[in-house]
PDB file of all heavy atoms in Angstrom:
ATOM      1  N   GLU A  97     -10.857  14.893   7.410  1.00 96.00           N
ATOM      2  CA  GLU A  97     -11.251  15.574   8.559  1.00 96.00           C
ATOM      3  C   GLU A  97     -12.694  15.145   8.914  1.00 96.00           C
ATOM      4  O   GLU A  97     -12.984  14.963  10.113  1.00 96.00           O
ATOM      5  CB  GLU A  97     -11.211  17.120   8.350  1.00 96.00           C
ATOM      6  CG  GLU A  97      -9.814  17.630   8.339  1.00 96.00           C
ATOM      7  CD  GLU A  97      -8.872  17.193   9.509  1.00 96.00           C
ATOM      8  OE1 GLU A  97      -9.372  17.288  10.662  1.00 96.00           O
ATOM      9  OE2 GLU A  97      -7.831  16.704   9.211  1.00 96.00           O
ATOM     10  N   GLU A  98     -13.557  14.941   7.982  1.00 96.00           N
ATOM     11  CA  GLU A  98     -14.917  14.496   8.227  1.00 96.00           C
ATOM     12  C   GLU A  98     -14.908  13.094   8.787  1.00 96.00           C
ATOM     13  O   GLU A  98     -15.676  12.790   9.749  1.00 96.00           O
ATOM     14  CB  GLU A  98     -15.807  14.537   6.983  1.00 96.00           C
ATOM     15  CG  GLU A  98     -17.235  14.211   7.347  1.00 96.00           C
ATOM     16  CD  GLU A  98     -18.250  14.495   6.251  1.00 96.00           C
ATOM     17  OE1 GLU A  98     -17.947  15.152   5.257  1.00 96.00           O
ATOM     18  OE2 GLU A  98     -19.410  14.127   6.480  1.00 96.00           O
ATOM     19  N   LEU A  99     -14.051  12.199   8.212  1.00 96.00           N
ATOM     20  CA  LEU A  99     -14.027  10.812   8.770  1.00 96.00           C
ATOM     21  C   LEU A  99     -13.476  10.823  10.186  1.00 96.00           C
ATOM     22  O   LEU A  99     -13.982  10.120  11.052  1.00 96.00           O
ATOM     23  CB  LEU A  99     -13.106   9.945   7.841  1.00 96.00           C
ATOM     24  CG  LEU A  99     -13.743   9.610   6.444  1.00 96.00           C
ATOM     25  CD1 LEU A  99     -12.736   8.981   5.653  1.00 96.00           C
ATOM     26  CD2 LEU A  99     -14.926   8.629   6.693  1.00 96.00           C
ATOM     27  N   LYS A 100     -12.437  11.629  10.438  1.00 95.00           N
ATOM     28  CA  LYS A 100     -11.890  11.673  11.788  1.00 95.00           C
ATOM     29  C   LYS A 100     -12.901  12.195  12.822  1.00 95.00           C
ATOM     30  O   LYS A 100     -12.972  11.696  13.929  1.00 95.00           O
ATOM     31  CB  LYS A 100     -10.660  12.475  11.842  1.00 95.00           C
ATOM     32  CG  LYS A 100      -9.448  11.770  11.178  1.00 95.00           C
ATOM     33  CD  LYS A 100      -8.262  12.735  10.839  1.00 95.00           C
ATOM     34  CE  LYS A 100      -7.699  13.538  11.933  1.00 95.00           C
ATOM     35  NZ  LYS A 100      -6.529  14.302  11.515  1.00 95.00           N
ATOM     36  N   LEU A 101     -13.717  13.121  12.388  1.00 94.00           N
ATOM     37  CA  LEU A 101     -14.692  13.752  13.289  1.00 94.00           C
ATOM     38  C   LEU A 101     -15.931  12.859  13.457  1.00 94.00           C
ATOM     39  O   LEU A 101     -16.442  12.684  14.585  1.00 94.00           O
ATOM     40  CB  LEU A 101     -15.133  15.082  12.691  1.00 94.00           C
ATOM     41  CG  LEU A 101     -16.145  15.906  13.544  1.00 94.00           C
ATOM     42  CD1 LEU A 101     -15.506  16.363  14.817  1.00 94.00           C
ATOM     43  CD2 LEU A 101     -16.586  17.141  12.739  1.00 94.00           C
ATOM     44  N   ASN A 102     -16.441  12.232  12.365  1.00 93.00           N
ATOM     45  CA  ASN A 102     -17.752  11.590  12.436  1.00 93.00           C
ATOM     46  C   ASN A 102     -17.674  10.067  12.354  1.00 93.00           C
ATOM     47  O   ASN A 102     -18.724   9.385  12.433  1.00 93.00           O
ATOM     48  CB  ASN A 102     -18.663  12.069  11.317  1.00 93.00           C
ATOM     49  CG  ASN A 102     -18.898  13.529  11.420  1.00 93.00           C
ATOM     50  OD1 ASN A 102     -19.108  14.006  12.533  1.00 93.00           O
ATOM     51  ND2 ASN A 102     -18.924  14.318  10.379  1.00 93.00           N
ATOM     52  N   ALA A 103     -16.475   9.463  12.202  1.00 95.00           N
ATOM     53  CA  ALA A 103     -16.481   8.005  12.083  1.00 95.00           C
ATOM     54  C   ALA A 103     -15.206   7.492  12.837  1.00 95.00           C
ATOM     55  O   ALA A 103     -14.520   6.559  12.368  1.00 95.00           O
ATOM     56  CB  ALA A 103     -16.389   7.566  10.571  1.00 95.00           C
ATOM     57  N   SER A 104     -14.934   8.120  13.958  1.00 95.00           N
ATOM     58  CA  SER A 104     -13.690   7.832  14.598  1.00 95.00           C
ATOM     59  C   SER A 104     -13.585   6.525  15.296  1.00 95.00           C
ATOM     60  O   SER A 104     -12.528   6.074  15.667  1.00 95.00           O
ATOM     61  CB  SER A 104     -13.391   8.880  15.711  1.00 95.00           C
ATOM     62  OG  SER A 104     -14.424   8.867  16.678  1.00 95.00           O
ATOM     63  N   LEU A 105     -14.680   5.703  15.334  1.00 96.00           N
ATOM     64  CA  LEU A 105     -14.705   4.376  15.908  1.00 96.00           C
ATOM     65  C   LEU A 105     -14.443   3.285  14.863  1.00 96.00           C
ATOM     66  O   LEU A 105     -14.496   2.082  15.241  1.00 96.00           O
ATOM     67  CB  LEU A 105     -15.920   4.163  16.678  1.00 96.00           C
ATOM     68  CG  LEU A 105     -16.100   5.037  17.941  1.00 96.00           C
ATOM     69  CD1 LEU A 105     -17.424   4.778  18.638  1.00 96.00           C
ATOM     70  CD2 LEU A 105     -14.945   4.922  18.947  1.00 96.00           C
ATOM     71  N   HIS A 106     -14.305   3.706  13.613  1.00 95.00           N
ATOM     72  CA  HIS A 106     -14.160   2.694  12.553  1.00 95.00           C
ATOM     73  C   HIS A 106     -12.591   2.518  12.334  1.00 95.00           C
ATOM     74  O   HIS A 106     -11.966   3.387  11.896  1.00 95.00           O
ATOM     75  CB  HIS A 106     -14.809   3.159  11.231  1.00 95.00           C
ATOM     76  CG  HIS A 106     -16.289   3.265  11.226  1.00 95.00           C
ATOM     77  ND1 HIS A 106     -17.042   2.145  10.959  1.00 95.00           N
ATOM     78  CD2 HIS A 106     -17.147   4.292  11.593  1.00 95.00           C
ATOM     79  CE1 HIS A 106     -18.302   2.560  11.079  1.00 95.00           C
ATOM     80  NE2 HIS A 106     -18.388   3.774  11.423  1.00 95.00           N
ATOM     81  N   PRO A 107     -12.115   1.305  12.591  1.00 96.00           N
ATOM     82  CA  PRO A 107     -10.699   1.067  12.342  1.00 96.00           C
ATOM     83  C   PRO A 107     -10.211   1.390  10.857  1.00 96.00           C
ATOM     84  O   PRO A 107      -9.164   1.897  10.628  1.00 96.00           O
ATOM     85  CB  PRO A 107     -10.545  -0.417  12.635  1.00 96.00           C
ATOM     86  CG  PRO A 107     -11.602  -0.754  13.600  1.00 96.00           C
ATOM     87  CD  PRO A 107     -12.765   0.142  13.148  1.00 96.00           C
ATOM     88  N   ALA A 108     -11.202   1.181   9.882  1.00 94.00           N
ATOM     89  CA  ALA A 108     -10.836   1.452   8.517  1.00 94.00           C
ATOM     90  C   ALA A 108     -10.591   2.855   8.279  1.00 94.00           C
ATOM     91  O   ALA A 108      -9.748   3.207   7.405  1.00 94.00           O
ATOM     92  CB  ALA A 108     -11.958   0.882   7.562  1.00 94.00           C
ATOM     93  N   VAL A 109     -11.164   3.727   8.971  1.00 96.00           N
ATOM     94  CA  VAL A 109     -10.842   5.160   8.914  1.00 96.00           C
ATOM     95  C   VAL A 109      -9.428   5.432   9.306  1.00 96.00           C
ATOM     96  O   VAL A 109      -8.703   6.180   8.521  1.00 96.00           O
ATOM     97  CB  VAL A 109     -11.867   5.976   9.812  1.00 96.00           C
ATOM     98  CG1 VAL A 109     -11.369   7.413   9.970  1.00 96.00           C
ATOM     99  CG2 VAL A 109     -13.238   5.993   9.263  1.00 96.00           C
ATOM    100  N   TRP A 110      -8.963   4.887  10.357  1.00 96.00           N
ATOM    101  CA  TRP A 110      -7.639   5.171  10.824  1.00 96.00           C
ATOM    102  C   TRP A 110      -6.570   4.497   9.959  1.00 96.00           C
ATOM    103  O   TRP A 110      -5.443   4.968   9.785  1.00 96.00           O
ATOM    104  CB  TRP A 110      -7.450   4.819  12.280  1.00 96.00           C
ATOM    105  CG  TRP A 110      -8.409   5.695  13.032  1.00 96.00           C
ATOM    106  CD1 TRP A 110      -9.672   5.336  13.543  1.00 96.00           C
ATOM    107  CD2 TRP A 110      -8.238   7.102  13.219  1.00 96.00           C
ATOM    108  NE1 TRP A 110     -10.199   6.488  14.084  1.00 96.00           N
ATOM    109  CE2 TRP A 110      -9.398   7.578  13.896  1.00 96.00           C
ATOM    110  CE3 TRP A 110      -7.259   8.042  12.954  1.00 96.00           C
ATOM    111  CZ2 TRP A 110      -9.554   8.889  14.256  1.00 96.00           C
ATOM    112  CZ3 TRP A 110      -7.429   9.357  13.317  1.00 96.00           C
ATOM    113  CH2 TRP A 110      -8.630   9.764  13.993  1.00 96.00           C
ATOM    114  N   LEU A 111      -6.990   3.350   9.386  1.00 95.00           N
ATOM    115  CA  LEU A 111      -6.057   2.750   8.378  1.00 95.00           C
ATOM    116  C   LEU A 111      -5.912   3.582   7.185  1.00 95.00           C
ATOM    117  O   LEU A 111      -4.814   3.836   6.679  1.00 95.00           O
ATOM    118  CB  LEU A 111      -6.648   1.345   7.966  1.00 95.00           C
ATOM    119  CG  LEU A 111      -5.976   0.582   6.817  1.00 95.00           C
ATOM    120  CD1 LEU A 111      -4.575   0.267   7.219  1.00 95.00           C
ATOM    121  CD2 LEU A 111      -6.776  -0.622   6.530  1.00 95.00           C
ATOM    122  N   ALA A 112      -6.965   4.162   6.658  1.00 94.00           N
ATOM    123  CA  ALA A 112      -6.944   5.102   5.504  1.00 94.00           C
ATOM    124  C   ALA A 112      -6.216   6.365   5.888  1.00 94.00           C
ATOM    125  O   ALA A 112      -5.354   6.864   5.100  1.00 94.00           O
ATOM    126  CB  ALA A 112      -8.382   5.468   5.086  1.00 94.00           C
ATOM    127  N   VAL A 113      -6.430   6.849   7.068  1.00 96.00           N
ATOM    128  CA  VAL A 113      -5.746   8.113   7.446  1.00 96.00           C
ATOM    129  C   VAL A 113      -4.222   7.868   7.605  1.00 96.00           C
ATOM    130  O   VAL A 113      -3.414   8.615   7.208  1.00 96.00           O
ATOM    131  CB  VAL A 113      -6.331   8.726   8.788  1.00 96.00           C
ATOM    132  CG1 VAL A 113      -5.495   9.820   9.379  1.00 96.00           C
ATOM    133  CG2 VAL A 113      -7.823   9.125   8.564  1.00 96.00           C
ATOM    134  N   ALA A 114      -3.880   6.743   8.164  1.00 95.00           N
ATOM    135  CA  ALA A 114      -2.504   6.322   8.267  1.00 95.00           C
ATOM    136  C   ALA A 114      -1.819   6.247   6.915  1.00 95.00           C
ATOM    137  O   ALA A 114      -0.720   6.692   6.681  1.00 95.00           O
ATOM    138  CB  ALA A 114      -2.331   5.076   9.026  1.00 95.00           C
ATOM    139  N   SER A 115      -2.510   5.555   5.996  1.00 94.00           N
ATOM    140  CA  SER A 115      -1.964   5.392   4.639  1.00 94.00           C
ATOM    141  C   SER A 115      -1.757   6.768   3.988  1.00 94.00           C
ATOM    142  O   SER A 115      -0.759   7.014   3.346  1.00 94.00           O
ATOM    143  CB  SER A 115      -2.922   4.560   3.781  1.00 94.00           C
ATOM    144  OG  SER A 115      -3.080   3.284   4.344  1.00 94.00           O
ATOM    145  N   TYR A 116      -2.730   7.634   4.112  1.00 96.00           N
ATOM    146  CA  TYR A 116      -2.531   9.013   3.533  1.00 96.00           C
ATOM    147  C   TYR A 116      -1.496   9.763   4.184  1.00 96.00           C
ATOM    148  O   TYR A 116      -0.685  10.422   3.498  1.00 96.00           O
ATOM    149  CB  TYR A 116      -3.920   9.759   3.704  1.00 96.00           C
ATOM    150  CG  TYR A 116      -4.018  11.089   3.060  1.00 96.00           C
ATOM    151  CD1 TYR A 116      -3.696  11.337   1.777  1.00 96.00           C
ATOM    152  CD2 TYR A 116      -4.378  12.183   3.856  1.00 96.00           C
ATOM    153  CE1 TYR A 116      -3.783  12.574   1.193  1.00 96.00           C
ATOM    154  CE2 TYR A 116      -4.504  13.426   3.252  1.00 96.00           C
ATOM    155  CZ  TYR A 116      -4.196  13.662   1.928  1.00 96.00           C
ATOM    156  OH  TYR A 116      -4.210  14.851   1.384  1.00 96.00           O
ATOM    157  N   ALA A 117      -1.355   9.662   5.494  1.00 95.00           N
ATOM    158  CA  ALA A 117      -0.219  10.340   6.187  1.00 95.00           C
ATOM    159  C   ALA A 117       1.095   9.835   5.746  1.00 95.00           C
ATOM    160  O   ALA A 117       2.039  10.614   5.509  1.00 95.00           O
ATOM    161  CB  ALA A 117      -0.357  10.190   7.713  1.00 95.00           C
ATOM    162  N   SER A 118       1.192   8.503   5.481  1.00 94.00           N
ATOM    163  CA  SER A 118       2.397   7.977   4.944  1.00 94.00           C
ATOM    164  C   SER A 118       2.681   8.512   3.561  1.00 94.00           C
ATOM    165  O   SER A 118       3.865   8.854   3.273  1.00 94.00           O
ATOM    166  CB  SER A 118       2.246   6.381   4.877  1.00 94.00           C
ATOM    167  OG  SER A 118       3.419   5.859   4.367  1.00 94.00           O
ATOM    168  N   MET A 119       1.677   8.623   2.707  1.00 93.00           N
ATOM    169  CA  MET A 119       1.871   9.091   1.367  1.00 93.00           C
ATOM    170  C   MET A 119       2.266  10.577   1.320  1.00 93.00           C
ATOM    171  O   MET A 119       3.122  10.990   0.514  1.00 93.00           O
ATOM    172  CB  MET A 119       0.593   8.984   0.522  1.00 93.00           C
ATOM    173  CG  MET A 119       0.198   7.563   0.153  1.00 93.00           C
ATOM    174  SD  MET A 119      -1.436   7.616  -0.555  1.00 93.00           S
ATOM    175  CE  MET A 119      -1.369   6.149  -1.561  1.00 93.00           C
ATOM    176  N   THR A 120       1.808  11.298   2.277  1.00 95.00           N
ATOM    177  CA  THR A 120       2.083  12.790   2.334  1.00 95.00           C
ATOM    178  C   THR A 120       3.265  13.079   3.234  1.00 95.00           C
ATOM    179  O   THR A 120       3.628  14.228   3.349  1.00 95.00           O
ATOM    180  CB  THR A 120       0.851  13.587   2.821  1.00 95.00           C
ATOM    181  OG1 THR A 120       0.471  13.108   4.104  1.00 95.00           O
ATOM    182  CG2 THR A 120      -0.267  13.414   1.845  1.00 95.00           C
ATOM    183  N   ARG A 121       3.916  12.024   3.760  1.00 94.00           N
ATOM    184  CA  ARG A 121       5.121  12.137   4.618  1.00 94.00           C
ATOM    185  C   ARG A 121       4.779  13.008   5.848  1.00 94.00           C
ATOM    186  O   ARG A 121       5.675  13.773   6.345  1.00 94.00           O
ATOM    187  CB  ARG A 121       6.262  12.730   3.884  1.00 94.00           C
ATOM    188  CG  ARG A 121       6.782  11.793   2.683  1.00 94.00           C
ATOM    189  CD  ARG A 121       7.983  12.311   1.994  1.00 94.00           C
ATOM    190  NE  ARG A 121       8.626  11.678   0.995  1.00 94.00           N
ATOM    191  CZ  ARG A 121       8.283  10.602   0.342  1.00 94.00           C
ATOM    192  NH1 ARG A 121       7.211   9.956   0.548  1.00 94.00           N
ATOM    193  NH2 ARG A 121       9.029  10.052  -0.702  1.00 94.00           N
ATOM    194  N   ASP A 122       3.604  12.820   6.389  1.00 95.00           N
ATOM    195  CA  ASP A 122       3.109  13.493   7.566  1.00 95.00           C
ATOM    196  C   ASP A 122       3.406  12.542   8.735  1.00 95.00           C
ATOM    197  O   ASP A 122       2.571  11.753   9.150  1.00 95.00           O
ATOM    198  CB  ASP A 122       1.655  13.775   7.478  1.00 95.00           C
ATOM    199  CG  ASP A 122       1.094  14.429   8.711  1.00 95.00           C
ATOM    200  OD1 ASP A 122       1.830  14.682   9.712  1.00 95.00           O
ATOM    201  OD2 ASP A 122      -0.141  14.630   8.785  1.00 95.00           O
ATOM    202  N   GLU A 123       4.612  12.594   9.350  1.00 94.00           N
ATOM    203  CA  GLU A 123       5.008  11.683  10.381  1.00 94.00           C
ATOM    204  C   GLU A 123       4.185  11.710  11.612  1.00 94.00           C
ATOM    205  O   GLU A 123       3.734  10.725  12.163  1.00 94.00           O
ATOM    206  CB  GLU A 123       6.499  11.906  10.751  1.00 94.00           C
ATOM    207  CG  GLU A 123       7.053  10.907  11.645  1.00 94.00           C
ATOM    208  CD  GLU A 123       8.508  10.957  11.842  1.00 94.00           C
ATOM    209  OE1 GLU A 123       9.285  11.299  11.026  1.00 94.00           O
ATOM    210  OE2 GLU A 123       8.933  10.805  13.040  1.00 94.00           O
ATOM    211  N   ALA A 124       3.823  12.931  12.053  1.00 96.00           N
ATOM    212  CA  ALA A 124       2.979  13.166  13.277  1.00 96.00           C
ATOM    213  C   ALA A 124       1.633  12.578  12.947  1.00 96.00           C
ATOM    214  O   ALA A 124       0.935  11.871  13.830  1.00 96.00           O
ATOM    215  CB  ALA A 124       2.930  14.614  13.633  1.00 96.00           C
ATOM    216  N   GLY A 125       1.062  12.813  11.770  1.00 95.00           N
ATOM    217  CA  GLY A 125      -0.263  12.279  11.437  1.00 95.00           C
ATOM    218  C   GLY A 125      -0.203  10.775  11.336  1.00 95.00           C
ATOM    219  O   GLY A 125      -1.224  10.089  11.740  1.00 95.00           O
ATOM    220  N   LEU A 126       0.870  10.193  10.910  1.00 95.00           N
ATOM    221  CA  LEU A 126       1.004   8.761  10.745  1.00 95.00           C
ATOM    222  C   LEU A 126       0.934   8.171  12.189  1.00 95.00           C
ATOM    223  O   LEU A 126       0.283   7.196  12.410  1.00 95.00           O
ATOM    224  CB  LEU A 126       2.243   8.398   9.991  1.00 95.00           C
ATOM    225  CG  LEU A 126       2.572   6.892   9.850  1.00 95.00           C
ATOM    226  CD1 LEU A 126       1.528   6.126   9.184  1.00 95.00           C
ATOM    227  CD2 LEU A 126       3.945   6.650   9.214  1.00 95.00           C
ATOM    228  N   ILE A 127       1.807   8.690  13.099  1.00 94.00           N
ATOM    229  CA  ILE A 127       1.871   8.146  14.379  1.00 94.00           C
ATOM    230  C   ILE A 127       0.511   8.300  15.082  1.00 94.00           C
ATOM    231  O   ILE A 127       0.101   7.324  15.687  1.00 94.00           O
ATOM    232  CB  ILE A 127       3.009   8.864  15.157  1.00 94.00           C
ATOM    233  CG1 ILE A 127       4.344   8.413  14.596  1.00 94.00           C
ATOM    234  CG2 ILE A 127       2.934   8.530  16.649  1.00 94.00           C
ATOM    235  CD1 ILE A 127       5.520   9.293  15.055  1.00 94.00           C
ATOM    236  N   SER A 128      -0.104   9.419  14.978  1.00 96.00           N
ATOM    237  CA  SER A 128      -1.381   9.623  15.575  1.00 96.00           C
ATOM    238  C   SER A 128      -2.482   8.570  15.061  1.00 96.00           C
ATOM    239  O   SER A 128      -3.192   8.030  15.867  1.00 96.00           O
ATOM    240  CB  SER A 128      -1.933  11.038  15.338  1.00 96.00           C
ATOM    241  OG  SER A 128      -3.160  11.199  15.883  1.00 96.00           O
ATOM    242  N   ALA A 129      -2.531   8.437  13.732  1.00 96.00           N
ATOM    243  CA  ALA A 129      -3.403   7.505  13.124  1.00 96.00           C
ATOM    244  C   ALA A 129      -3.181   6.093  13.560  1.00 96.00           C
ATOM    245  O   ALA A 129      -4.123   5.297  13.846  1.00 96.00           O
ATOM    246  CB  ALA A 129      -3.462   7.680  11.631  1.00 96.00           C
ATOM    247  N   LEU A 130      -1.865   5.686  13.589  1.00 95.00           N
ATOM    248  CA  LEU A 130      -1.603   4.312  13.940  1.00 95.00           C
ATOM    249  C   LEU A 130      -1.857   4.099  15.382  1.00 95.00           C
ATOM    250  O   LEU A 130      -2.287   2.979  15.868  1.00 95.00           O
ATOM    251  CB  LEU A 130      -0.123   4.033  13.672  1.00 95.00           C
ATOM    252  CG  LEU A 130       0.182   3.800  12.158  1.00 95.00           C
ATOM    253  CD1 LEU A 130       1.691   3.657  11.968  1.00 95.00           C
ATOM    254  CD2 LEU A 130      -0.581   2.614  11.587  1.00 95.00           C
TER     255      LEU A 130
END
Side-chain angles (χ1 to χ4, degrees):
E97 292 310 312
E98 184 166 354
L99 287 169
K100 286 165 54 175
L101 183 67
N102 297 321
S104 63
L105 296 178
H106 293 273
V109 166
W110 298 102
L111 174 61
V113 171
S115 297
Y116 183 53
S118 177
M119 290 174 153
T120 59
R121 297 183 178 9
D122 175 5
E123 189 174 319
L126 175 62
I127 291 168
S128 175
L130 287 174

